Amino acid sequence: MGVNYSTTACKKSCWAISQRQTCGCMEYKFPKTKDFPVCDTLNKTVEKCLRKVKNDFKQGKLNCSNSCPPPCRESTFKLTTSYSLWPTKSYEEYYKLELQKRTKEVDGNNNFRANVLKLNIFFEELNYEVISEELSYELANFVSDLGGTLGLWIGMSVLSFAEIFEFLLLMCYTLARKLKRRMNAKSSTIAVEMFAE
């Protein structure tokens, strides 16, 4: 409807569209279109229809809140106003003289302070706050946590597999040495028996 996106504007346009669909017209506060006129609030039927749509909007029955996500970027400014009488009494006469020198159009009445304004507009603070949304638990974190938990409970890490492999090699080496000693012992016993005969 010709405005920058904001959640409030989205909800209001949802409300206006619901009025247009239900009542065939829109209230005066919404932009007028060629196809749909402004609602005649003196007509009791139209007023009843508008009231029903408004109540549905307030109760969340129009689903406007769900169809209007928060904006990606939003700037809000906190406004603060302060004021005082200006110019001060001691400066008023000097200021009148300076204005008369420059423009020569100063009214000589006693209500000079009521007709002069000095306006200062400035940022109260030069800080800004950024609020961003991020996924708190991504897939990489899940896989990492799963692997860490499995490693903890099962006790099978790369180092454990290397130690098991080393243990098996040592067992094979020890068995091979024992078998070789037995073979050497048997062959020497056979040789001694043959030599003794």
Side-chain angles (χ1 to χ4, degrees):
M1 292 195 170
V3 294
N4 290 334
Y5 180 80
S6 70
T7 305
T8 305
C10 178
K11 288 178 182 177
K12 295 264 176 132
S13 64
C14 176
W15 181 10
I17 291 168
S18 297
Q19 281 183 354
R20 189 174 67 192
Q21 290 171 346
T22 307
C23 305
C25 60
M26 292 188 298
E27 284 184 89
Y28 65 90
K29 59 185 167 186
F30 299 120
K32 183 182 171 193
T33 61
K34 294 177 185 176
D35 301 334
F36 293 94
V38 175
C39 293
D40 180 16
T41 55
L42 299 176
N43 185 338
K44 291 195 185 261
T45 311
V46 172
E47 181 62 31
K48 186 177 179 181
C49 180
L50 292 175
R51 198 175 316 117
K52 182 188 177 306
V53 172
K54 184 177 182 179
N55 288 336
D56 288 348
F57 176 75
K58 286 182 177 179
Q59 294 172 1
K61 293 180 181 177
L62 299 180
N63 201 22
C64 292
S65 295
N66 294 337
S67 61
C68 294
C72 295
R73 297 180 75 84
E74 183 176 33
S75 298
T76 56
F77 298 96
K78 180 181 173 186
L79 301 176
T80 306
T81 58
S82 66
Y83 60 91
S84 65
L85 292 175
W86 185 86
T88 60
K89 288 277 187 192
S90 60
Y91 187 66
E92 186 174 0
E93 289 302 319
Y94 173 76
Y95 190 68
K96 277 184 188 179
L97 291 172
E98 285 297 317
L99 281 178
Q100 285 175 348
K101 287 180 191 175
R102 292 183 187 175
T103 61
K104 300 178 183 171
E105 294 181 15
V106 177
D107 188 9
N109 66 7
N110 292 335
N111 202 9
F112 184 71
R113 293 173 84 182
N115 295 321
V116 176
L117 170 71
K118 180 178 181 182
L119 180 66
N120 287 331
I121 299 174
F122 57 91
F123 290 108
E124 187 174 346
E125 295 179 4
L126 295 177
N127 301 333
Y128 64 94
E129 179 181 17
V130 176
I131 299 172
S132 60
E133 292 183 7
E134 296 176 359
L135 289 174
S136 62
Y137 203 67
E138 294 182 358
L139 181 64
N141 294 344
F142 173 72
V143 171
S144 175
D145 287 347
L146 183 66
T149 304
L150 285 175
L152 178 68
W153 290 107
I154 297 174
M156 295 291 182
S157 63
V158 174
L159 186 58
S160 297
F161 285 122
E163 288 175 351
I164 290 171
F165 182 69
E166 180 186 16
F167 177 71
L168 291 175
L169 282 177
L170 286 173
M171 290 292 288
C172 289
Y173 177 72
T174 305
L175 286 174
R177 281 184 58 194
K178 283 186 179 181
L179 284 175
K180 189 174 181 183
R181 281 187 198 158
R182 282 188 188 167
M183 295 287 267
N184 285 342
K186 273 188 182 178
S187 63
S188 62
T189 307
I190 292 175
V192 168
E193 285 177 1
M194 287 176 82
F195 187 68
E197 290 178 1

